[in-house]
Amino acid sequence: MEERTELNILGEFGLIHRIASQKQFSHARTVKGIGDDAAVSKGSVDYQLVSTELMVEGVHFDLSYVPLKHLGYKLIVAGISDILAMNGLPTQVTVSLALSNRFSIEAVDELYAGILTACEDYEVELVGGDTTSSRSGLILSITALGTVEKDQITYRSGASVNDIICVSGDLGGAYLGLQILEREKQVFLDAPESQPILAGHEYVLQRQLKPDARLDIIKQLRELNIVPTSMIDVSDGLASELRHLAAESGLGVRVFEEQIPIHQKSYLAATELNLGPFTAALNGGEDYELLFTIRQEDYQKILDHTTDISFIGFISADPQEALFITKQNEAIPLTAQGWEKQGE
């Protein structure tokens, strides 16, 4: 009998590493394959970037509380965020759908209204895709394409000891918005006559349902002539992404609780839900902010000219060190999580 190994033994990141380790790249145009936010190939002048995202109903979204227009918008954000995380500029997307017969033409129109709105907002063009039938709900796939100058490319690797760790925006809001939606769904299932209580949570709900891709941050860095030494987008939680940067650079990380940016509305939502706001920031995911490292000499440039970037820690020399330093100066190990936590 053939031996069977369950996927949750590896988890998401272990599976990606396993697939990547079995593939060798030999094409003359291939610069970087599996293992970063986007694949990189040689163009005539610039590098060409390609990234793919997959969203499955019941795993990545719940249509009982996610409007189709918002879902379409979020799909584009998720796709182009990977291009931005390579310090690139997105140019085009293709979108593929697998639909069951419970979806009407009007529903598909609503989905594409969100897709096209996001394309307009982020200056990308929808240039193709595919459709097929599904027996088990809605499945979405996006392929995002972009470009980056060869001297501007930023990988997850590349950080050096004492580089400063930066993150855009604020963290944890998307996860807390999801918890609010899940709470109200359960209330409705228990008492269908009840009305959802969402007032006061508009900020975290928007972070979950209509997140932002940080094209503005990439443009600011270019205006300041700063090329990050390493970068990744925050889609799986800050802890996970920090460990990716550390592992790819062969170094360690130290981040400080008092420096982690959390919006006041996220604090309020966390209190109401009896959740730790820093737990949400470290492990929640779907914020789509940019996490990156810079050289010490670039610190003052950012400090003087930008307002939406926080300095949260530094790269350390010990590859075994991945630490979260609390306000009480207690060092807590950062543990990465992926979809293995969802399937248990």
Side-chain angles (χ1 to χ4, degrees):
M1 183 175 180
E2 185 177 347
E3 183 179 354
R4 174 185 171 89
T5 304
E6 299 298 330
L7 278 173
N8 62 7
I9 298 298
L10 285 178
E12 177 186 7
F13 308 123
L15 179 60
I16 292 171
H17 178 75
R18 183 181 180 89
I19 293 169
S21 68
Q22 298 177 41
K23 178 63 179 174
Q24 299 296 319
F25 300 99
S26 58
H27 196 286
R29 291 190 60 189
T30 302
V31 177
K32 178 75 173 180
I34 300 169
D36 220 298
D37 286 86
V40 184
S41 60
K42 295 177 183 177
S44 57
V45 178
D46 302 332
Y47 282 145
Q48 307 297 308
L49 305 173
V50 182
S51 182
T52 301
E53 290 282 339
L54 188 66
M55 289 188 178
V56 179
E57 184 178 355
V59 177
H60 300 99
F61 59 89
D62 185 333
L63 290 178
S64 66
Y65 54 70
V66 177
L68 285 168
K69 187 172 182 179
H70 288 73
L71 179 62
Y73 195 99
K74 187 173 182 176
L75 178 68
I76 300 299
V77 167
I80 67 173
S81 185
D82 285 335
I83 302 297
L84 299 173
M86 306 295 292
N87 203 29
L89 297 175
T91 56
Q92 298 167 312
V93 295
T94 66
V95 172
S96 296
L97 313 176
L99 297 153
S100 68
N101 59 11
R102 67 186 172 92
F103 289 92
S104 65
I105 293 174
E106 290 77 14
V108 176
D109 285 346
E110 189 73 1
L111 177 70
Y112 270 88
I115 289 171
L116 294 172
T117 298
C119 286
E120 182 177 350
D121 286 351
Y122 294 105
E123 304 166 15
V124 298
E125 293 185 339
L126 176 65
V127 295
D130 195 13
T131 58
T132 189
S133 59
S134 166
R135 295 183 179 179
S136 57
L138 177 62
I139 301 171
L140 306 172
S141 176
I142 178 173
T143 298
L145 299 95
T147 61
V148 60
E149 298 87 343
K150 293 180 181 180
D151 61 353
Q152 298 280 318
I153 185 76
T154 303
Y155 297 103
R156 295 178 182 180
S157 58
S160 298
V161 175
N162 292 327
D163 278 359
I164 299 170
I165 302 170
C166 308
V167 70
S168 64
D170 58 86
L171 303 172
Y175 175 77
L176 293 165
L178 177 63
Q179 299 313 303
I180 294 288
L181 292 167
E182 286 285 351
R183 181 191 68 180
E184 296 308 310
K185 176 187 176 181
Q186 191 57 53
V187 170
F188 174 78
L189 292 175
D190 294 339
E193 72 282 358
S194 64
Q195 294 295 314
I197 301 174
L198 302 176
H201 297 302
E202 292 83 1
Y203 181 77
V204 295
L205 292 173
Q206 178 169 321
R207 293 289 285 168
Q208 169 58 218
L209 295 174
K210 189 176 175 289
D212 295 322
R214 299 312 304 262
L215 177 61
D216 60 321
I217 296 295
I218 297 301
K219 289 182 176 180
Q220 286 179 37
L221 292 174
R222 288 173 178 235
E223 289 170 2
L224 295 173
N225 197 29
I226 294 173
V227 178
T229 54
S230 66
M231 183 154 54
I232 192 171
D233 75 326
V234 184
S235 56
D236 292 313
L238 178 63
S240 171
E241 315 305 4
L242 283 166
R243 291 186 67 92
H244 278 312
L245 291 187
E248 292 294 324
S249 297
L251 297 168
V253 295
R254 281 184 169 239
V255 295
F256 298 88
E257 177 181 13
E258 60 188 8
Q259 302 300 326
I260 306 298
I262 298 176
H263 197 280
Q264 183 60 34
K265 296 291 186 180
S266 297
Y267 275 108
L268 294 174
T271 300
E272 181 177 321
L273 292 163
N274 198 28
L275 293 172
F278 290 99
T279 299
L282 289 170
N283 298 311
E286 291 196 301
D287 289 308
Y288 297 109
E289 297 294 345
L290 293 175
L291 175 71
F292 56 97
T293 55
I294 60 169
R295 299 173 181 86
Q296 293 273 343
E297 53 265 35
D298 288 328
Y299 168 78
Q300 198 63 44
K301 291 183 190 177
I302 291 179
L303 189 65
D304 291 343
H305 295 94
T306 62
T307 58
D308 204 24
I309 294 175
S310 299
F311 308 102
I312 64 172
F314 64 89
I315 299 294
S316 63
D318 184 358
Q320 303 303 314
E321 185 175 77
L323 298 176
F324 177 72
I325 312 301
T326 69
K327 294 177 182 177
Q328 292 74 37
N329 206 34
E330 180 183 2
I332 300 174
L334 289 166
T335 56
Q337 302 196 39
W339 50 243
E340 61 264 32
K341 67 184 177 182
Q342 300 174 5
E344 296 175 349

